[in-house]
């Protein structure tokens, strides 16, 4: 895996589209202020440092997850952690990568 793949450049657009077609929930791990300045329609804002306390809530959604942020680094961290918790998750990278597939 390349360095960029590690931090979010690795998820293909086809994977993002596939997850969305399967009803995935988009979790934006940016700060509330960043989220309010623009985000994927219908996404949930769960700030990165609160993810460990939200695992039960995320699992209860019973859906695949696409994590997004500004550049892909924070969503990469969230993806790694959530995978360790048994959640089916991919790193969507910058939120705009996913927004273009959502109406």
């Amino acid at each position: 895996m390349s360095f960029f793949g590690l931090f979010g450049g690795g998820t293909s657009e086809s994977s993002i589209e596939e997850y969305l077609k399967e009803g995935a929930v988009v979790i934006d791990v940016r700060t509330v202020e960043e989220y309010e300045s623009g985000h994927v329609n219908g996404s949930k804002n769960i700030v990165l440092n609160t993810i460990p306390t939200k695992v039960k809530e995320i699992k209860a959604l019973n859906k695949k997850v696409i994590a997004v942020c500004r550049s892909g680094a924070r969503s990469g961290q969230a993806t790694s952690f959530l995978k360790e918790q048994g959640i089916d998750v991919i790193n969507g990278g910058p939120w705009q990568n996913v927004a273009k597939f959502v109406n």
Side-chain angles (χ1 to χ4, degrees), residues 6-51:
L6 183 65
F7 289 107
T11 301
S12 69
E13 289 190 349
S14 61
S15 295
I16 292 169
E17 285 185 284
E18 181 182 316
Y19 267 57
L20 288 170
K21 283 178 188 163
E22 293 173 3
V25 63
V26 178
I27 296 179
D28 192 318
V29 300
R30 297 176 297 153
T31 65
V32 172
E33 294 78 18
E34 288 175 295
Y35 182 80
E36 288 176 351
S37 71
H39 56 268
V40 177
N41 286 340
S43 62
K44 295 188 175 296
N45 184 211
I46 303 177
V47 181
L48 178 62
N49 65 358
T50 67
I51 291 282

Side-chain angles (χ1 to χ4, degrees), residues 42-99:
S43 62
K44 295 188 175 296
N45 184 211
I46 303 177
V47 181
L48 178 62
N49 65 358
T50 67
I51 291 282
T53 66
K54 303 286 186 176
V55 171
K56 258 188 183 172
E57 178 183 323
I58 295 167
K59 283 185 174 183
L61 296 170
N62 204 24
K63 294 182 179 220
K64 292 184 175 189
V65 173
I66 303 172
V68 298
C69 65
R70 183 179 57 81
S71 69
R74 286 175 284 177
S75 55
Q77 293 173 10
T79 298
S80 294
F81 176 79
L82 292 172
K83 278 184 180 176
E84 290 172 5
Q85 307 307 308
I87 294 170
D88 188 349
V89 56
I90 58 171
N91 182 2
W95 68 270
Q96 295 93 335
N97 280 358
V98 178

